[in-house]
Amino acid sequence: MANVEDENTLDAAHGGVATTERPERVRRTDPTDKNTLKPRARDDDDQVDPDEYARLLDVYDNSFRNIAEGEVVKGTVLKVTASEVIVDVGYKSEGIIQIAEFLDEAGEITVQAGDIVDVLLERTEDREGYVVLSREKAEKMKIWDEVEKAYAERKVVIGRVIERIKGGLAVDIGVRAFLPGSQIDVRPVRNLDALRGQELRMRVIKVNKKRGNIVLSRKALLEEENAEKKKHTLDVLAEGKVLKGVVKNITDYGAFIDLGGIDGLLHITDMSWGRVGHPSELFKVNDEIDVIVLKYDPATERVSLGHKQLVTDPWANVMERYPVGARMSGKVVSLTDYGAFVELEAGVEGLIHVSEMSWSKRVKHPSKILNVGDSVDAMVLGVDPTARRISLGLKQVETNPWHDLAGKYPVGSKIQGKVRNLTEFGAFIEVEEEIDGLIHISDMSWSKRIKHPSEVLKKGDVVEAMVLNIDAENQRLSLGLKQLATDIWEDFFARHQVGQTVEGKVVRMTNFGAFVELDEGIEGLIHVSEFDDSAAPGSGGKAKEKIVLNVDETYPMKIIKLSPAERKIGLSIRALKSDEFRSDWEAYQEGAGDGSATLGDHFRNR
């Protein structure tokens, strides 16, 4: 209450009471007049104006007005100390409130002397004679009134999330309130802790002042707002329409965009013409972006959106920018078992197949040559705009060492190299770095029948070989080991001819004949039909005893066929026997005088 500026009035703020000078006792002037009282004469200075007297009495009465306990009243801050605030509420004495009730979140005092504040009158007087006041309780009562009003009038309240509790969130709207997890958003919220400290707009859906319970809903407010937005969005929504939206949620396959009361799906394949590993690489939640409506189904209210369609397709004129044979630079963005994908520009990638990475190396995996993130130069080998494919070559930007090989190692020349690998069909010889030649198993020896190259060579051996053939296109180099030695077959064919009798050792028997070793490394075949002469001329049709050949036994035989090109020799025992019979018959005819002797006599005499 305001102070009354009068010397006869005590300062109500200090607990005093306004008073006036007691008037002197009056006496009767006429003893017979019992009802008449006349005041004693006074000096002019002691005279009191009746109107002033009435005013002072009113001031005094107002200082003792009846204030009910539990009532919220306005008070004036008289003084602020380090520990308390003294407030005058116009009662008999001041009230004292702890300083903590006037501190903000930063610990700063929010009032000063002369400020008007709302306080709750808890008790009219404590032991020390002070009025018991509380600003905090007054604020809470005031807030409760506002909350009840907001509940009744369906008004929006704003609160700050304090913490996560069981079933939802604790929210400060001036008093502690509860926001259930199901009422936070129109969609389930997985990470409630992420909302801590955020200010939310909500609606009061339940209030109980006696129990101190307040239940809030953000979902109800969002649904109301979304319904209004949705109505507007549906009026303008159409395929091909460009709209602004806010990224609401991000998944592995795309992002959901809030168009205003209705969500649309921006699939990962429609985000960029370039390679996108995850939608989070391009967008974040709450980002505002432009999108184009690709498809809209009014029945299901499903909306498909596109972002890359807002810019020109880079494949539209790709053949003009990447002609075949051109040398281009790019960055390796992905590796597979069959090659490496190179980004030539945003949205345009080409493939370097594993076979196009090196002229000489046998690349088992692209990672042996390239790594993701490497900058490379490659040649355009082919372009297919329809299939969105560009074939690139890495080795084509370098000189092909196979084209120079024929000049360095002509056919017939001798080279030296290390055995790098052995297979069932031959041995690979490292001629130069990353260039191998093959010695086929058939070119390892003239005479030996080799079953595996390891019988002749070992890995790591340094050998000398002859260049037999160079195929630069197919990158093949044929080498020979036996060609460095004399060809024993040519020597044999030069020394023998058909009809000549030779001796040979049977080395193995088969169902079609016997293989005979005539010289070291030289074998011939006696076919079964050439074993004996079962019906020789002059035998009278009588079959002779069949000859049986034994392995490792040596027999005389006759050469009946020589084939230098195929390196084959045909042998016969039957032909040898026939020649012996013919010789004996001719000798008999020449020696017979009268011709009376028989052929049997001739053989008996022998």
Side-chain angles (χ1 to χ4, degrees):
M1 139 182 148
N3 297 330
V4 178
E5 296 181 358
D6 190 276
E7 60 180 2
N8 294 320
T9 304
L10 297 178
D11 188 355
H14 292 82
V17 179
T19 62
T20 59
E21 184 181 338
R22 184 190 296 267
E24 294 184 6
R25 182 177 295 177
V26 296
R27 60 182 179 179
R28 298 183 181 91
T29 58
D30 185 357
T32 62
D33 189 1
K34 298 181 179 179
N35 296 325
T36 301
L37 291 176
K38 292 182 179 181
R40 180 176 61 84
R42 303 183 58 178
D43 297 335
D44 291 340
D45 293 340
D46 293 335
Q47 295 296 321
V48 177
D49 184 8
D51 292 337
E52 181 67 16
Y53 179 74
R55 189 183 66 80
L56 293 174
L57 284 177
D58 184 59
V59 172
Y60 176 77
D61 290 339
N62 285 338
S63 68
F64 289 101
R65 74 183 187 274
N66 186 20
I67 303 175
E69 292 184 358
E71 183 181 349
V72 177
V73 297
K74 291 189 178 296
T76 304
V77 177
L78 300 178
K79 186 178 181 181
V80 178
T81 68
S83 60
E84 56 195 18
V85 176
I86 301 173
V87 180
D88 173 25
V89 293
Y91 205 60
K92 293 183 295 184
S93 62
E94 301 91 349
I96 297 177
I97 303 175
Q98 294 297 316
I99 193 71
E101 296 190 27
F102 292 92
L103 300 179
D104 59 14
E105 294 180 355
E108 299 292 332
I109 300 173
T110 58
V111 295
Q112 58 184 356
D115 288 351
I116 305 298
V117 295
D118 290 327
V119 292
L120 174 69
L121 179 61
E122 296 191 72
R123 293 198 305 276
T124 55
E125 189 174 339
D126 61 7
R127 293 180 180 179
E128 298 179 359
Y130 289 103
V131 179
V132 180
L133 305 174
S134 174
R135 189 205 184 202
E136 183 178 354
K137 291 181 180 180
E139 290 294 326
K140 287 187 177 180
M141 288 185 67
K142 191 175 178 182
I143 292 171
W144 272 100
D145 292 339
E146 292 177 357
V147 169
E148 288 179 330
K149 185 178 180 181
Y151 173 68
E153 298 179 2
R154 295 181 57 79
K155 289 185 177 180
V156 175
V157 296
I158 299 175
R160 181 175 56 84
V161 178
I162 303 172
E163 61 180 343
R164 177 180 180 177
I165 58 176
K166 184 178 180 181
L169 299 172
V171 181
D172 179 15
I173 58 172
V175 292
R176 190 179 178 93
F178 176 57
L179 176 60
S182 60
Q183 297 296 320
I184 297 175
D185 205 334
V186 291
R187 290 182 178 177
V189 179
R190 296 180 181 178
N191 187 9
L192 297 182
D193 291 323
L195 297 173
R196 182 178 297 179
Q198 292 188 19
E199 284 194 350
L200 306 177
R201 298 175 70 250
M202 298 157 287
R203 197 180 293 287
V204 180
I205 59 174
K206 185 177 180 182
V207 58
N208 189 325
K209 190 173 182 179
K210 289 182 179 179
R211 295 187 177 182
N213 291 336
I214 302 174
V215 181
L216 306 172
S217 174
R218 180 170 175 259
K219 178 181 177 181
L221 184 61
L222 291 176
E223 287 176 341
E224 293 174 10
E225 293 176 347
N226 287 342
E228 192 66 28
K229 292 178 182 177
K230 182 177 179 181
K231 183 180 178 181
H232 173 72
T233 303
L234 291 177
D235 290 340
V236 298
L237 191 62
E239 293 184 4
K241 186 80 172 179
V242 177
L243 302 171
K244 281 190 178 295
V246 177
V247 179
K248 192 172 184 180
N249 189 26
I250 292 178
T251 67
D252 291 337
Y253 55 86
F256 287 95
I257 311 299
D258 182 7
L259 302 174
I262 186 170
D263 292 347
L265 174 62
L266 175 59
H267 198 270
I268 188 172
T269 57
D270 291 311
M271 291 183 174
S272 172
W273 294 111
R275 180 183 294 267
V276 181
H278 194 273
S280 60
E281 296 176 7
L282 298 179
F283 305 112
K284 295 179 181 178
V285 174
N286 295 325
D287 281 355
E288 186 175 347
I289 61 173
D290 291 328
V291 290
I292 185 171
V293 179
L294 302 180
K295 189 175 181 182
Y296 169 53
D297 186 352
T300 59
E301 294 187 350
R302 289 185 177 178
V303 185
S304 297
L305 304 173
H307 183 69
K308 71 180 183 181
Q309 288 81 2
L310 297 174
V311 297
T312 306
D313 184 358
W315 286 89
N317 56 350
V318 71
M319 293 193 71
E320 299 174 6
R321 290 178 288 118
Y322 300 100
V324 175
R327 182 169 177 166
M328 297 294 172
S329 297
K331 184 176 72 173
V332 179
V333 293
S334 178
L335 296 177
T336 66
D337 292 337
Y338 53 85
F341 286 94
V342 178
E343 185 181 53
L344 301 175
E345 64 174 85
V348 178
E349 293 180 6
L351 172 65
I352 302 178
H353 194 270
V354 68
S355 63
E356 303 294 343
M357 291 187 175
S358 175
W359 289 113
S360 50
K361 281 185 179 179
R362 297 182 182 274
V363 184
K364 294 182 179 180
H365 195 273
S367 59
K368 302 293 183 181
I369 303 290
L370 300 171
N371 295 310
V372 173
D374 287 352
S375 296
V376 296
D377 289 334
M379 184 176 289
V380 179
L381 304 181
V383 180
D384 186 350
T386 305
R388 294 177 177 266
R389 292 178 180 174
I390 296 180
S391 298
L392 302 174
L394 188 63
K395 66 184 182 182
Q396 284 78 6
V397 298
E398 300 175 352
T399 304
N400 187 353
W402 286 88
H403 290 163
D404 302 331
L405 206 62
K408 295 168 66 175
Y409 307 107
V411 174
S413 63
K414 297 179 182 179
I415 61 172
Q416 217 176 36
K418 183 186 290 187
V419 179
R420 191 181 60 82
N421 192 24
L422 296 176
T423 66
E424 293 182 355
F425 55 84
F428 285 96
I429 310 300
E430 187 178 38
V431 178
E432 288 185 358
E433 185 180 1
E434 301 177 357
I435 294 182
D436 294 342
L438 173 65
I439 300 178
H440 195 269
I441 192 171
S442 61
D443 289 313
M444 290 186 176
S445 175
W446 290 112
S447 55
K448 290 183 179 179
R449 187 174 296 273
I450 301 170
K451 296 181 179 180
H452 195 275
S454 58
E455 297 176 13
V456 179
L457 300 171
K458 292 181 180 179
K459 191 173 181 179
D461 286 352
V462 177
V463 297
E464 190 177 43
M466 181 179 289
V467 178
L468 304 181
N469 185 44
I470 297 176
D471 185 353
E473 295 301 322
N474 296 315
Q475 298 183 8
R476 292 177 181 176
L477 172 61
S478 298
L479 304 176
L481 193 62
K482 68 181 183 182
Q483 284 78 5
L484 296 178
T486 303
D487 189 352
I488 58 176
W489 285 91
E490 291 183 4
D491 181 63
F492 183 87
F493 288 134
R495 293 184 290 106
H496 297 82
Q497 57 187 0
V498 175
Q500 187 175 353
T501 301
V502 293
E503 283 193 349
K505 182 174 70 173
V506 177
V507 291
R508 60 184 180 281
M509 299 292 296
T510 66
N511 58 353
F512 56 84
F515 284 94
V516 179
E517 185 181 51
L518 302 176
D519 207 342
E520 184 178 359
I522 304 296
E523 291 184 1
L525 172 66
I526 305 175
H527 195 267
V528 289
S529 61
E530 301 296 333
F531 278 6
D532 56 20
D533 190 0
S534 56
S539 62
K542 189 175 181 180
K544 296 182 179 179
E545 185 179 354
K546 191 173 182 178
I547 298 175
V548 178
L549 300 179
N550 298 317
V551 176
D552 292 333
E553 292 290 334
T554 301
Y555 301 94
M557 59 203 70
K558 195 170 187 178
I559 299 173
I560 59 174
K561 183 180 180 182
L562 291 175
S563 179
E566 297 178 352
R567 298 178 184 271
K568 291 182 179 180
I569 301 173
L571 304 172
S572 175
I573 293 179
R574 188 185 70 172
L576 181 64
K577 295 295 183 181
S578 297
D579 288 345
E580 290 179 354
F581 177 81
R582 189 176 295 106
S583 298
D584 290 340
W585 176 254
E586 291 174 355
Y588 165 73
Q589 285 181 334
E590 292 176 359
D594 52 4
S596 58
T598 64
L599 184 60
D601 293 337
H602 172 74
F603 281 105
R604 280 196 295 273
N605 292 333
R606 293 185 63 189

